[in-house]
Amino acid sequence: MASSPCSNTNFDSGLEIKTRSVEQTLIPLVTQITTLINHKDKPKKSERTLTAIHRVGQAVNVAVGRFVAVGEAIASENQELKDEMGQACFEARRAGDAIAQLTDVGSDTPAPSDDRVTVFSDRTAMVKAARMLLSSVTKVLVLADRIVIKQIITSRNKDLKDEKKKARMAAARAVLEKCTMMLLTASKTCLRHPDCESARINKDAVFHRMRCALEQVIEIVTEARSSGENKILSASICNGIRDFKYTVESLREDLFSLTPQSLTGQLEALVERTEDFTDSAYTGHEQRQRILSLCQLTRQDTQQLVHTWVGVQQSGSSKEATENLEVAILKTCHSMGDLRRELHNVAVGRASDLLKVHGEQLPLRALKAAGAEGNLEAVADYSRKLTEQKEQLVETCRLLCHVSCTEPLEITCIHAEETFHVIGPQIISAAQTLALHPSSKIARENLDVFCEAWESQLCDMGLLLKEINDVFEGRRGDRKPYLSLPRPGKHSASLKSAKAVKLDAEEQTSMAKLGLELRLLSSDVDAELEKWDEEEHDIIRQSQSLASIAYSMYLFTRGEGVLKTTLDLFHQAEVLSEEGLQLCSSLQTFSTRLVDEEKAVVLTENEKLVALCQQLQMGAKTPVQGKTAPFQKVDSTIQASRSLMTVVASLLPLCNKLIKKHKSERTSLSSPQDWRETQHTSAPVKKDAALNGNNSNGFGVKSLDEHMASLNLLESK
């Protein structure tokens, strides 16, 4: 008998399946191979059996070939795993060829004298080839998983420096956080009422939105290209105006850099985008006429510019011709600026009016009441009103996107538009479910959750509006709320025993001074962080988080922002203390790089910060008793937060000064002896830093919890 195709190979190179995802991927392959191995041992094989075995063997070989091609492509892009991946792919391809050879049987059973090795003559060879194939394929899959995980961790460590990625991640996080409670109540409602079609539609919509958000997160952390990203950011009027003005002003430097036809074509494309404003049923007649008039004025000024420009090209650059061209350029840019201002006023004015009108939430209240009464006809009527309100908000978000002059703001506008577009129908389906089951407690709670999400998005839209105004007026827009934090409303399980209350007007007035001080401290921290050169430092990242959280607490004292109740504020205070303790850990590690006197100063301030964080944490968890207790607790929470931020604001310039000092000292060291002494004295620092879970240069490595969060995200996907 001839030797089997795999007789000299170590077939079982490890069949341990590491993850469930790998196991699920291998199931179809295992099924095919099992078919080949477990064929019936009959002396006579039918032609149908032979054909089936041959077909399965060839199919396995072709599939393995395609699989290996992908593995080899991955290996070529990742040099660190190229050898391992290449060897695994080689073994998989050889095993696939062996299986194809073993299943290459004719229409008749081989004669006893036939010395060919087939699945009939040597089942052991088939078993060995199958084990080799499964082992090598498993190894390829595990290596591919390692590459993906490395991409996730690497991207996470970059801390999303790209502002556009930060905005996309914030939008995805906001969706996942808001959908968490929606999914819980929607699933409970669906389980309680399994035959209710509206309950099923409601739950499926939540699942779909969470899936889309997870896909967006994966696109960001793995740096995959988004198919919808260009669509999101390509049609902004603000970007078009900026590009047009840049093109016009470039004529000062080069008269022949473009043609008159390309300039007028750029203008017409820009004017066409203004139809989103002029064609809207919600744009007033006077506003529409002003926009059309400004578009016409811009056309006239551009035509005059082209005429002057062509004249200068033909007659030469005389002083008079150059001055005329400069005047034409200024006039065109000025008229374009007037158009931009009018579009901004229309979009922002409409958004402000809508927020005032819809602030009372009349359709939502009516829907809740009609659903609780089981009045399907009234639910249908108020659903139409809510749909109209949704369409107004969606269109307004689209207009705000046109006048948002930064990519992060454009992305946030798109997120708001999608949120209103999705939550509106979800509220309606939840109301229909309650109307069909008016006595259902979970159906009522489910409707409340979706209505709260709608109200929360209206609040976020108000903050977005302020940011757009700040950018337009040349101010640096105030930061967004800390979107990565959950908002524990009345459905929070951990705070269910406490009562959520809101500050009245008098209490807000009393809190105004403290809140303003917290706001100023937050700005001081931002100002100090701008002076740092090391953008990746953990101290910077944690201080930025503290400033963002403190700012959201300031907004609470004004009755604005995402923190609506005292419970929201107390939860935010706990998060502030936790983030502060992380900063304390980074400062402790940083102090190991310092000499005795410097170290003592930093550690003294750090001890103050630890004490304040613990004080804030204990105060936030203290139960509230009595009518005036909530306000008193709010007052003490804001005061403790203010004290904490005061210490942070004083620590940052000190740390920055010490970092720059040590950097300059290292730069000045030039002799080998100095270098050896530096290495000798810094060695214990590296050890201490490693023990504290940080690397030796003061850039803290990400915590295990953060790594596990990324891995869990991949596994859930």
Side-chain angles (χ1 to χ4, degrees):
M1 179 180 292
S3 61
S4 63
C6 300
S7 58
N8 296 321
T9 306
N10 180 14
F11 308 109
D12 189 7
S13 59
L15 285 176
E16 180 183 359
I17 297 176
K18 304 288 185 182
T19 66
R20 182 169 178 80
S21 62
V22 174
E23 179 183 355
Q24 294 296 316
T25 305
L26 290 174
I27 286 177
L29 182 60
V30 172
T31 302
Q32 296 279 24
I33 293 176
T34 303
T35 302
L36 294 175
I37 295 176
N38 293 340
H39 65 86
K40 294 182 179 179
D41 245 344
K42 295 181 180 179
K44 181 71 175 177
K45 304 293 186 299
S46 67
E47 182 175 351
R48 181 179 179 183
T49 300
L50 295 173
T51 303
I53 290 176
H54 176 74
R55 186 172 64 250
V56 171
Q58 295 303 313
V60 168
N61 190 33
V62 171
V64 169
R66 293 172 179 168
F67 176 82
V68 166
V70 175
E72 289 171 343
I74 294 174
S76 65
E77 296 174 0
N78 298 271
Q79 294 298 320
E80 69 278 8
L81 295 177
K82 184 176 181 179
D83 293 339
E84 282 186 85
M85 182 71 84
Q87 181 62 27
C89 290
F90 174 76
E91 292 176 359
R93 191 184 295 278
R94 187 159 60 167
D97 292 339
I99 290 175
Q101 183 179 339
L102 289 168
T103 56
D104 187 16
V105 293
S107 58
D108 297 319
T109 304
S113 60
D114 191 347
D115 61 354
R116 284 192 307 123
V117 178
T118 68
V119 67
F120 302 118
S121 62
D122 191 356
R123 180 182 294 184
T124 303
M126 175 59 76
V127 171
K128 289 182 177 180
R131 290 184 67 84
M132 179 180 176
L133 179 61
L134 290 175
S135 174
S136 55
V137 169
T138 301
K139 189 170 185 179
V140 171
L141 290 171
V142 170
L143 289 172
D145 277 356
R146 280 172 56 186
I147 291 170
V148 172
I149 291 169
K150 181 183 176 182
Q151 288 176 336
I152 292 174
I153 293 173
T154 301
S155 182
R156 176 65 181 87
N157 289 343
K158 289 178 182 176
D159 202 20
L160 295 179
K161 290 186 289 184
D162 188 326
E163 290 298 325
K164 185 165 65 174
K165 287 184 178 180
K166 285 182 181 179
R168 294 183 65 215
M169 181 64 83
R173 282 177 176 172
V175 170
L176 293 173
E177 287 160 9
K178 290 176 181 177
C179 283
T180 301
M181 183 55 67
M182 295 181 193
L183 183 61
L184 175 63
T185 56
S187 299
K188 283 183 177 180
T189 305
C190 203
L191 287 172
R192 188 72 54 84
H193 309 289
D195 298 329
C196 183
E197 179 68 10
S198 58
R200 184 192 61 78
I201 292 173
N202 187 258
K203 183 196 71 172
D204 290 347
V206 178
F207 266 118
H208 176 73
R209 191 146 194 252
M210 293 186 76
R211 234 182 339 259
C212 292
L214 285 172
E215 288 172 357
Q216 180 165 313
V217 171
I218 292 172
E219 284 176 0
I220 296 169
V221 297
T222 60
E223 297 186 343
R225 291 185 177 181
S226 171
S227 59
E229 189 174 326
N230 292 332
K231 179 185 70 175
I232 289 175
L233 300 178
S234 62
S236 165
I237 292 178
C238 191
N239 286 337
I241 291 176
R242 182 174 61 240
D243 294 342
F244 180 81
K245 291 174 72 173
Y246 175 80
T247 302
V248 168
E249 290 170 346
S250 68
L251 294 175
R252 295 188 178 108
E253 306 297 330
D254 188 356
L255 294 173
F256 301 93
S257 59
L258 71 159
T259 63
Q261 291 78 11
S262 63
L263 181 64
T264 54
Q266 189 176 353
L267 174 64
E268 290 307 317
L270 180 60
V271 170
E272 185 178 350
R273 295 179 199 171
T274 63
E275 292 176 359
D276 284 348
F277 288 79
T278 56
D279 291 352
S280 171
Y282 305 109
T283 301
H285 176 70
E286 292 183 359
Q287 292 176 328
R288 183 179 293 107
Q289 290 303 313
R290 280 199 300 270
I291 294 173
L292 293 173
S293 298
L294 287 170
C295 287
Q296 185 59 32
L297 177 61
T298 305
R299 282 195 182 99
Q300 293 172 0
D301 289 341
T302 303
Q303 289 172 357
Q304 181 61 40
L305 170 63
V306 169
H307 178 74
T308 307
W309 170 24
V310 172
V312 173
Q313 285 180 325
Q314 294 174 349
S315 63
S317 301
S318 65
K319 181 178 180 182
E320 183 181 358
T322 303
E323 290 177 352
N324 291 339
L325 179 63
E326 179 65 22
V327 170
I329 290 174
L330 292 174
K331 283 187 65 177
T332 303
C333 291
H334 181 75
S335 58
M336 189 59 75
D338 288 343
L339 176 61
R340 177 196 169 197
R341 185 176 297 103
E342 181 62 28
L343 295 174
H344 173 86
N345 292 339
V346 170
V348 171
R350 182 190 298 183
S352 301
D353 292 342
L354 277 178
L355 290 175
K356 291 176 183 176
V357 171
H358 301 316
E360 298 179 359
Q361 308 298 336
L362 296 179
L364 295 186
R365 294 178 186 176
L367 267 176
K368 288 181 183 180
E373 295 169 358
N375 190 338
L376 283 169
E377 184 177 347
V379 166
D381 183 39
Y382 290 118
S383 294
R384 285 190 291 271
K385 294 180 180 179
L386 182 65
T387 300
E388 182 181 354
Q389 179 178 335
K390 176 208 71 175
E391 291 172 352
Q392 290 179 348
L393 289 167
V394 165
E395 184 176 288
T396 301
C397 290
R398 195 173 300 129
L399 299 187
L400 287 175
C401 183
H402 273 306
V403 300
S404 298
C405 294
T406 67
E407 286 187 337
L409 287 179
E410 290 175 32
I411 291 171
T412 307
C413 288
I414 294 293
H415 164 67
E417 177 186 341
E418 292 174 348
T419 301
F420 286 123
H421 183 75
V422 172
I423 292 184
Q426 288 178 321
I427 291 175
I428 293 172
S429 61
Q432 290 170 344
T433 303
L434 179 58
L436 292 170
H437 308 278
S439 61
S440 173
K441 183 179 178 182
I442 186 60
R444 184 180 297 107
E445 184 179 1
N446 186 47
L447 178 58
D448 288 341
V449 168
F450 282 96
C451 290
E452 286 177 5
W454 179 275
E455 294 168 2
S456 173
Q457 188 56 50
L458 284 174
C459 179
D460 291 346
M461 187 175 175
L463 294 173
L464 173 62
L465 202 59
K466 183 179 184 302
E467 289 192 54
I468 292 173
N469 262 327
D470 287 342
V471 172
F472 178 79
E473 293 171 7
R475 299 193 303 263
R476 181 186 175 189
D478 287 330
R479 83 189 91 253
K480 297 178 186 177
Y482 198 68
L483 289 177
S484 63
L485 301 179
R487 293 188 56 233
K490 69 179 196 178
H491 300 286
S492 174
S494 61
L495 298 172
K496 191 170 282 186
S497 59
K499 183 179 180 181
V501 297
K502 296 184 179 181
L503 298 183
D504 58 29
E506 184 178 350
E507 290 171 336
Q508 285 181 10
T509 303
S510 302
M511 285 286 99
K513 183 176 181 296
L514 275 177
L516 182 59
E517 291 175 357
L518 194 59
R519 168 72 177 90
L520 294 174
L521 284 168
S522 178
S523 298
D524 289 343
V525 169
D526 274 342
E528 289 297 334
L529 291 175
E530 289 180 357
K531 300 175 184 177
W532 283 57
D533 297 328
E534 301 187 30
E535 296 180 359
E536 293 290 328
H537 209 295
D538 271 4
I539 293 177
I540 289 183
R541 179 174 58 82
Q542 290 153 355
S543 299
Q544 286 173 337
S545 296
L546 287 171
S548 293
I549 301 170
Y551 180 74
S552 67
M553 297 172 76
Y554 151 73
L555 289 178
F556 172 83
T557 64
R558 292 170 51 90
E560 302 173 0
V562 296
L563 306 180
K564 299 297 184 184
T565 67
T566 52
L567 287 187
D568 293 344
L569 177 71
F570 301 150
H571 173 80
Q572 196 82 321
E574 288 186 55
V575 178
L576 182 68
S577 66
E578 291 167 3
E579 194 73 24
L581 290 172
Q582 290 185 22
L583 176 60
C584 293
S585 177
S586 298
L587 290 168
Q588 183 75 27
T589 303
F590 170 70
S591 68
T592 61
R593 302 166 55 188
L594 307 176
V595 296
D596 293 342
E597 184 178 348
E598 297 171 343
K599 184 175 182 179
V601 174
V602 172
L603 289 179
T604 299
E605 293 299 309
N606 196 37
E607 288 173 3
K608 294 180 185 177
L609 186 58
V610 171
L612 289 169
C613 290
Q614 293 172 344
Q615 176 188 343
L616 181 61
Q617 199 169 50
M618 292 296 295
K621 293 180 178 179
T622 302
V624 177
Q625 296 178 347
K627 290 184 178 180
T628 60
F631 174 70
Q632 293 171 353
K633 184 175 178 180
V634 168
D635 182 75
S636 62
T637 299
I638 298 295
Q639 289 195 41
S641 302
R642 179 190 61 181
S643 301
L644 187 154
M645 293 301 294
T646 301
V647 175
V648 173
S650 65
L651 267 168
L652 288 176
L654 172 62
C655 294
N656 190 25
K657 178 182 177 182
L658 293 175
I659 288 175
K660 289 182 178 179
K661 175 185 175 184
H662 282 264
K663 186 180 292 185
S664 63
E665 288 175 354
R666 285 197 302 270
T667 305
S668 64
L669 292 176
S670 56
S671 68
Q673 179 65 27
D674 289 338
W675 183 85
R676 282 194 296 271
E677 290 176 0
T678 304
Q679 296 300 308
H680 177 71
T681 57
S682 63
V685 176
K686 292 183 179 180
K687 180 179 178 183
D688 293 342
L691 291 174
N692 282 283
N694 291 272
N695 58 8
S696 59
N697 63 1
F699 292 80
V701 296
K702 306 305 175 187
S703 68
L704 180 60
D705 289 341
E706 290 176 308
H707 287 313
M708 290 305 299
S710 297
L711 297 179
N712 290 339
L713 176 61
L714 178 64
E715 185 174 355
S716 66
K717 171 62 182 172

